[in-house]
Amino acid sequence: GVDNPMLTWPQRSVFGDVLVRVVADTEIIYLNDTDQYDALGATAHDGRYGLALPGGTLLVIRAGADRRNQRDVRYTIALDEDGNATITYERRFHGTSYGRFHQRFAELQPEDRRRAFLEMVAGISQAAVATTDLTTDYSVYPGLERFSVQAPRYAVRDGDYLYVSLPDASSSVPGVVGDTRVNPVFWSSEDRGTTAITLQLPPAFTNVQIAPATIAWRTPAGG
């Protein structure tokens, strides 16, 4: 519904950038909206409408199948009976986020890298202590970021029970607050991603009383 007027009566201002489109084997690649840090086949215009010249045909610009933006985050959390945790964090960077990741760490000075790492460790837990160095590998695709920490009292021991809050486990869909909604919600860009959390419990606490269900959520109307 949002797109229909634009497609029925295309306005010149809608198509503000000129891209060069080439075909490599059978793959369509868009140039000049990325730079030397990006993976070939990624495009910042993924999912947007384009106007193919000189004929004026409307099309949807698509990045390569493995060059689309997506978050891929994994946590492995090993707990002991007192709630202390050994946590490994790993993230893979796809699409144009790979280019931003590549540029950031290719140009980062050692002291700035150290500070960035400290901020990442504190983001896991204010009491966390790094047990490995920060790994950043942009020689592979998707790019890889990984490190491990020890976090004392990451889980709360209460008698016969052990409570742990899972990282990145939001209780609501971003931008949507409340149980019901009258007006539509609008996101200006796609948000694609997965978060996998592996929780290794101590032997005395393997009887799980409360746990969140596996969630695979899609927006309404096939979004």
Side-chain angles (χ1 to χ4, degrees), residues 34 38 41-48 63-72 91-100 141 189-194:
T34 54
D38 284 286
T43 172
H45 289 77
D46 182 41
R48 300 186 186 184
D66 63 340
R67 296 295 193 265
R68 304 195 69 192
N69 288 341
Q70 177 175 322
R71 296 185 322 280
D72 185 0
R91 178 174 178 178
R92 297 278 181 171
F93 292 84
H94 301 255
T96 55
S97 65
Y98 164 83
R100 293 190 296 270
Y141 182 88
S189 60
E190 286 186 319
D191 186 4
R192 306 168 71 243
T194 59

Side-chain angles (χ1 to χ4, degrees), residues 1-182:
V2 173
D3 294 338
N4 286 340
M6 182 190 74
L7 301 180
T8 305
W9 300 283
Q11 301 296 306
R12 182 174 58 187
S13 60
V14 172
F15 306 98
D17 298 311
V18 178
L19 301 182
V20 177
R21 184 172 66 168
V22 299
V23 179
D25 295 327
T26 59
E27 182 181 3
I28 296 175
I29 297 174
Y30 293 90
L31 305 178
N32 67 286
D33 67 340
T34 54
D35 58 30
Q36 70 269 26
Y37 296 103
D38 284 286
L40 191 64
T43 172
H45 289 77
D46 182 41
R48 300 186 186 184
Y49 289 102
L51 195 65
L53 301 177
T57 304
L58 284 169
L59 52 82
V60 178
I61 298 168
R62 291 294 183 196
D66 63 340
R67 296 295 193 265
R68 304 195 69 192
N69 288 341
Q70 177 175 322
R71 296 185 322 280
D72 185 0
V73 179
R74 297 178 182 274
Y75 293 89
T76 302
I77 305 172
L79 294 172
D80 67 18
E81 294 185 3
D82 294 320
N84 303 311
T86 299
I87 303 172
T88 297
Y89 165 88
E90 179 178 306
R91 178 174 178 178
R92 297 278 181 171
F93 292 84
H94 301 255
T96 55
S97 65
Y98 164 83
R100 293 190 296 270
F101 163 73
H102 182 184
Q103 180 178 14
R104 180 190 181 194
F105 284 99
E107 298 180 353
L108 209 58
Q109 297 298 316
E111 178 59 22
D112 293 329
R113 179 187 174 94
R114 186 187 71 84
R115 291 177 181 175
F117 184 30
L118 291 176
E119 292 176 359
M120 294 178 195
V121 171
I124 300 291
S125 169
Q126 288 294 321
V129 177
T131 57
T132 68
D133 290 332
L134 172 63
T135 297
T136 53
D137 189 356
Y138 43 78
S139 66
V140 297
Y141 182 88
L144 171 65
E145 179 179 83
R146 181 173 55 210
F147 62 90
S148 297
V149 303
Q150 285 186 339
R153 298 178 299 281
Y154 189 80
V156 177
R157 174 76 180 267
D158 184 11
D160 292 337
Y161 295 93
L162 192 64
Y163 299 90
V164 58
S165 295
L166 302 180
D168 284 359
S170 175
S171 60
S172 65
V173 177
V176 180
V177 179
D179 297 329
T180 61
R181 189 174 184 89
V182 175

